[in-house]
Amino acid sequence: MSLSPEALATLSGVSTATITTVLLKKGLRNIWMRGTKPLRPGQPRLVGPAFTLRFVPAREDLATPESWSSPISTRTAIEAMPKGCIAVVDAMGVTDAGIFGDILCARMVKRGVAALITDGVVRDVEGVLGTNLPVWCDGFAAPPSVAGLTFVGWGEPIGCGGVAVFPNDIVVADQDGAVLIPQALLDHVLAEGSEQERMEAWIVNEVNNGAALPGLYPMNAETKARYAATKK
């Protein structure tokens, strides 16, 4: 799926923290992908549909340098990535084998991929940073992926950081990490996310003006009425 420019603009103004709150109210507690930290501090918030990739534990007959030339390889998967997608990679939380390095990330940039998100790590970190591909991961390591993982496919449901990710689910990533918006709840987040941001900004302003928290956060009836009056 592709996101409309309006949806992209709206979600670009909604933090991952806010999204977790909005979806918590719908009963979703497990949407934040553990281990997804920005590789470069200050990376801007990014939004896009998930393009999923999956690794399994290394098996010596499959996890070899020769496998990089296989039709089922990360190289082939990258050529299938559509412009604007966010590559979400299930690396099983393995942190001693880098799933992607500078060459693969450079190709992703050329293909217009928006970002790479994984619960694993990258390698060739200086080169990866040099590509300017935004990356959220759990660090970096020198060994290649085949030292600890076997790549098995793309375009299927995966688990990343303990979160179930389906192809084309919406991913939002910022300084707090990466969160997932199920396709079926996208319209709800679009409708509620901006209002949640506006309300919390109003609350922060009240706190800065000396207001006490009881009755303000969460709002009691009187506070809700005062806040409602600011929207008229």
Side-chain angles (χ1 to χ4, degrees), residues 123-145:
R123 64 194 300 244
D124 305 314
V125 64
E126 290 187 12
V128 170
L129 290 170
T131 69
N132 291 318
L133 176 71
V135 176
W136 279 259
C137 63
D138 203 13
F140 38 86
S145 61

Side-chain angles (χ1 to χ4, degrees), residues 78-208:
I78 287 171
E79 298 306 317
M81 293 179 182
K83 182 177 181 180
C85 77
I86 291 181
V88 183
V89 185
D90 175 6
M92 304 176 55
V94 170
T95 57
D96 56 3
I99 59 162
F100 285 2
D102 54 354
I103 295 174
L104 273 62
C105 289
R107 180 57 182 161
M108 291 168 69
V109 170
K110 288 294 185 182
R111 289 196 56 79
V113 174
L116 166 64
I117 292 174
T118 181
D119 56 2
V121 300
V122 297
R123 64 194 300 244
D124 305 314
V125 64
E126 290 187 12
V128 170
L129 290 170
T131 69
N132 291 318
L133 176 71
V135 176
W136 279 259
C137 63
D138 203 13
F140 38 86
S145 61
V146 293
L149 294 162
T150 302
F151 183 70
V152 292
W154 63 92
E156 59 185 345
I158 62 168
C160 184
V163 176
V165 183
F166 285 73
N168 292 321
D169 280 339
I170 306 306
V171 177
V172 181
D174 60 17
Q175 293 302 296
D176 282 349
V179 300
L180 175 138
I181 303 172
Q183 293 181 53
L185 291 171
L186 175 59
D187 288 344
H188 174 74
V189 174
L190 289 172
E192 299 295 328
S194 295
E195 171 56 21
Q196 182 76 24
E197 291 279 2
R198 185 182 190 279
M199 180 184 70
E200 293 191 4
W202 183 84
I203 290 172
V204 168
N205 186 64
E206 291 291 296
V207 170
N208 289 338

